[in-house]
Amino acid sequence: MSIEFKPTVAVEGGQDGDEGKGKVISALFPWIEVGVRCNGGANAGHTVVFNGTEFKFHMLPSTSPIRGILSVIAPNTVVHTGDLKKEIDDVRSKGVEFDGNLKISDRAQFLGDYHRDWDRIQEARRGANKIGTTGTGNGAAYTDLVDRRGIFLGLLEQPDLFKKRLGLVLEEYRGRLRSGESLPDSFRSEYYDPVIEEAIRYIRPYLTDTTVLLEDSLARGKRTLFEKAQATMLDVRYGGYPYVTSSTCTAAAIPYEVGLSKAPDMDVIGVFKAYHTDVGERPRPTKMGDELEEIIRRAGGEYGTTTGRKRSVSWFDAVKARHSAKIGGYDYIAINKADVLTGKGDQRICEEYVFRGERMRAFPVDSLILEECTPVYREYPGWIQDFKGAKNWDQVPPEAQQLLRAQHAAIGRGKLWMIGTGPADEDAIFSFG
Ligand code: IMP
Ligand code: MG
């Protein structure tokens, strides 16, 4: 890894999530001095391997295992305090000591079980039009923020006022139920007495004004990683609406999300996979077909980190990739898992769509349009020579090189920085001679 990055680097998913952002972050570990988790909640699942130990993070910054590094959970996150405590305990049991270096913004939002029950109730109401959420209450929590019903974790400093605010919120939730829907326990105030006790004991000590910390560490030139969760195509505004998550998933949002007054000097790494996966509901114009999907799912371990759901597998979609690159502003590109495609026959890249008889190169604003789009593919020859674990570009078969070069060209911006060739830290190529 021989690049002079700017003082801050953002890692952003370029597709529909699960591109291997954790792997890219692992490669950056030697560079990082401060790690910030910017958005989302426990809907995310980031797998990182540190000193041979595998960690699956949902809420904690992926930098958490590195000793002595400031790890920040930013304002624009939604935090289930009970689950975060469990995650902290779990990471501790693997030998991680936080030594006072984990900080949670006092403006991060409280996510309670009422958000999860509401997520479930809404999905049930949507019926056939459900979003296929992760069920972690994300959408409900972000809706509460913009609908002015959010509760910031900093209010835990005044437990009586926290309870007062929560009481008002729950009253609203109870009023939303339709006849035939039973009242969840989580809509009652008493439900939260032990939750608040636990949060005061185990989460409150980490709370602080993280803006002050970050402004200070950036002023001192600390090399900072901004870790985005989900991906551009899941962004609430720019993604495949409405089959998106409810937070901002692009690097452009970072200063506001983390509470900086100005955008820092930043490089953005867009992370892609050599094929496309997603979970949940949405139109899939480049879906491979059940048989091949199952083969690739098994070869690539394509099951959700958070929900264990089977990921759908599609061909690399240049319409989405171009859109992501435009919104994401990538300076560098990482492409993972081309090794999974070894021995899987000829390959395809979708170059554009056809919608109602017309060619369409830009990603549509609404999934109702996407539903009627058919893909226009370009074919690429497959290969059979395995290159899993390759560390040099010349170990990659020419056909795989050709496919990766074509994907990089399709993305259309950013310098090719890394090709991931396997799950282990060292399975990567950084030079493309
Ligand atoms: P929510 O974020 O749980 O509301 O789910 C909304 C959509 O985003 C669904 O399609 C989820 O499957 C998807 N989603 C949310 N987080 C992730 C993730 O970390 N990886 C992949 N898909 C995700
Ligand atoms: Mg994931």
Side-chain angles (χ1 to χ4, degrees), residues 11 54 56 70 105 115 117 167 187 299 375 388 430:
V11 171
E54 187 179 89
K56 287 192 189 298
L70 174 64
S105 166
H115 291 121
D117 280 318
F187 283 17
K388 190 167 180 185
F430 293 97

Side-chain angles (χ1 to χ4, degrees), residues 151-195:
I151 308 179
F152 296 125
L153 288 179
L155 201 55
L156 285 169
E157 298 293 345
Q158 267 72 45
D160 61 320
L161 299 182
F162 190 98
K163 284 181 187 170
K164 185 174 175 181
R165 171 74 65 214
L166 184 60
L168 294 170
V169 171
L170 292 173
E171 207 176 294
E172 263 197 72
Y173 270 84
R174 287 192 296 272
R176 289 175 180 181
L177 291 172
R178 294 179 186 162
S179 65
E181 288 171 345
S182 56
L183 178 73
D185 276 352
S186 68
F187 283 17
R188 301 176 201 271
S189 292
E190 314 79 73
Y191 181 91
Y192 295 92
D193 292 341
V195 174

Side-chain angles (χ1 to χ4, degrees), residues 288-308:
M288 285 183 180
D290 292 342
E291 207 175 313
L292 184 55
E293 281 186 56
E294 185 56 25
I295 291 169
I296 291 179
R297 188 179 299 123
R298 286 195 188 176
E302 298 296 353
Y303 303 89
T305 316
T306 300
T307 56

